[in-house]
Amino acid sequence: MIETPSDNVLADALRAGDGMAVARLFDLYGRHVERVLIRTVGRDGEMEDMVQDVFLGAYRSGHNYQGNDAQLKAWISRIAVFTARGYLRKRKRRWWLRSADPGQMPEQNSKEPSPHTSEVLRRTHLALDQMDADLRIPFALRELESMELAEIAQACECSVSTVKRRLARARKAFDRLAKKDPILSDWLGDQN
């Protein structure tokens, strides 16, 4: 495809440090970023802060962006993944500050799932919390966000073969954790 000057309007504005470009980027990819964060971190009271951190990171690093408008989704996904990884590491360090009731989750914007589905999701995120971030993030992006291997590799800044190895290790780790939980074990059995 031959690039025309209009193919880089948003990318050029980001490189120029235009704050409105970040607002436009948010309009285009805000929901995508939120889904990536929810899938990798789980529902969290700090979700709005994490989304803002992603777009603040985009603003701060926009002058270094070397792609075109068509590559912006992958770029913002990569920033979201690194934001999630940093948050997961921070959360691991302060695990003792978390609420004794892991079932406290913020309200969902979409229609409410069944109580069983909510419980499966809650327990899924409890299992994911026990996984290393390098395994959890590609696993969540693949299994929960249905991203392609190449997209995950780009977002995680690694090769497709590395993503495949991490996904295999993550699947084994998740299956091992899920087998210890009767609800997840039953649910996974129903899915096969």
Side-chain angles (χ1 to χ4, degrees):
M1 179 173 134
I2 299 174
E3 242 179 63
T4 61
S6 65
D7 288 339
N8 291 312
V9 172
L10 188 53
D12 290 341
L14 282 168
R15 283 188 280 274
D18 182 353
M20 292 305 293
V22 175
R24 177 72 179 128
L25 191 67
F26 179 82
D27 290 342
L28 290 171
Y29 302 114
R31 301 276 299 148
H32 169 73
V33 164
E34 186 176 9
R35 281 193 319 272
V36 167
L37 292 171
I38 287 171
R39 302 293 196 244
T40 56
V41 175
R43 291 201 175 273
D44 191 280
E46 295 183 45
M47 185 57 60
E48 288 181 25
D49 292 338
M50 286 188 282
V51 171
Q52 287 179 359
D53 286 346
V54 170
F55 288 97
L56 182 61
Y59 177 73
R60 288 181 178 155
S61 63
H63 65 281
N64 292 324
Y65 180 66
Q66 296 182 13
N68 60 29
D69 284 5
Q71 297 164 320
L72 284 169
K73 184 175 182 182
W75 180 67
I76 200 72
S77 295
R78 189 167 43 253
I79 295 170
V81 164
F82 282 103
T83 300
R85 182 176 286 129
Y87 177 80
L88 288 170
R89 287 183 181 140
K90 183 174 80 170
R91 187 165 76 179
K92 196 175 219 177
R93 285 191 304 266
R94 60 187 172 114
W95 64 268
W96 53 274
L97 290 174
R98 280 190 255 166
S99 167
D101 181 11
Q104 293 178 332
M105 298 174 88
E107 287 186 33
Q108 297 179 2
N109 292 339
S110 61
K111 70 178 189 178
E112 280 298 310
S114 72
H116 180 71
T117 302
S118 293
E119 184 62 15
V120 167
L121 184 60
R122 185 183 75 78
R123 288 174 185 242
T124 298
H125 281 291
L126 287 173
L128 290 173
D129 280 345
Q130 298 176 53
M131 294 171 61
D132 181 70
D134 286 337
L135 299 180
R136 175 189 179 139
I137 290 171
F139 181 78
L141 293 175
R142 180 68 172 179
E143 299 298 326
L144 303 175
E145 189 60 22
S146 300
M147 287 177 70
E148 297 294 326
L149 293 175
E151 292 176 300
I152 297 167
Q154 193 171 26
C156 294
E157 290 188 331
C158 62
S159 69
V160 171
S161 61
T162 298
V163 168
K164 287 179 180 179
R165 282 191 303 275
R166 287 180 182 172
L167 285 171
R169 287 178 37 220
R171 170 53 67 193
K172 286 180 185 176
F174 182 80
D175 286 348
R176 183 177 31 80
L177 292 166
K179 284 179 183 172
K180 295 178 185 177
D181 184 302
I183 291 179
L184 279 181
S185 182
D186 287 346
W187 183 76
L188 288 173
D190 292 344
Q191 300 298 308
N192 293 328

